[in-house]
Amino acid sequence: MPSPRSSLRSLLLLFVCLVLIVCSIAYVDRAAATFSYEHLHRPAAAVWLTHLVDPLQPLAILGLAGSGLAALVGGWRPGERGRTLLALCAAILIAVATKEELKYLFGRTWPETWVANNPSWIRDHVFGFTFLHGGQGWASFPSGHTTQMSAVAGVVWVAAPRWRWLGVLLVALVTLGLWAADFHFVGDILAGATLGGSCGVGTHALICRRRAS
């Protein structure tokens, strides 16, 4: 069981993240997107960084399917490492499903226009949320790429402290690519990091944490 102090610290961190997201939407997002568009011009290296997440969802599906098959056919029962693998796979898929629902809920427009002539900040100075709108042109918030990589980092953070630096580095590289390519507002990225990290830590606690005897 987590201590009351640990739970309070987690809630405080979540509150700080939510405050940063709101502040970014109000004061940072438009200026950061405009700077990226006018000065960075979507460098190829930035676009490449965003593809670091591409294998995550297929690997998560394969990992869960393979684990289920091994349990069904071979009687495999996961030990500590096996449960961590299950948590990692589940966290990615839970994060993906959750961010899709949130995209529909918030209905935020994108920094630039690239989906079916969608309204955007750069082309139309359209900036905001249209709740429950639906459609790819209103799906900027939260960032799905950041959500997926942060889910991985969340599991790594609690399961393998020695490798925390790698999880943080991968999230940083993906988010740098998203901003430099002007694919997302900073607020989208912060929201994705909060969502993904929460999914990772929470899923690990659900699957891996043992009850105190």
Side-chain angles (χ1 to χ4, degrees), residues 42-167:
R42 191 168 298 154
V47 176
W48 182 86
L49 287 175
T50 67
H51 289 291
L52 290 173
V53 305
D54 290 354
L56 295 183
Q57 190 173 347
L59 287 175
I61 294 171
L62 288 174
L64 285 182
S67 298
L69 184 62
L72 180 66
V73 176
W76 176 70
R77 293 296 179 265
E80 182 178 353
R81 291 184 179 179
R83 288 193 298 271
T84 299
L85 172 64
L86 291 175
L88 185 62
C89 295
I92 293 169
L93 298 181
I94 291 170
V96 169
T98 306
K99 63 92 176 173
E100 287 298 329
E101 296 303 316
L102 292 178
K103 284 177 179 287
Y104 174 74
L105 172 64
F106 286 104
R108 190 183 199 188
T109 51
W110 298 88
E112 293 190 41
T113 299
W114 50 60
V115 182
N117 204 35
N118 63 284
S120 68
W121 166 247
I122 294 299
R123 192 190 69 176
D124 310 295
H125 274 221
V126 172
F127 179 82
F129 297 82
T130 308
F131 296 97
L132 302 177
H133 186 284
Q136 287 300 309
W138 288 262
S140 184
F141 184 94
S143 161
H145 285 66
T146 311
T147 298
Q148 289 188 62
M149 192 60 80
S150 296
V152 173
V155 174
V156 171
W157 187 269
V158 290
R162 290 171 54 189
W163 294 97
R164 286 176 176 175
W165 65 270
L166 180 57

Side-chain angles (χ1 to χ4, degrees), residues 2-16 157:
S3 66
R5 178 174 295 182
S6 176
S7 299
L8 181 60
R9 187 165 55 244
S10 297
L11 289 175
L12 179 60
L13 177 60
L14 178 60
F15 175 75
V16 170
W157 187 269

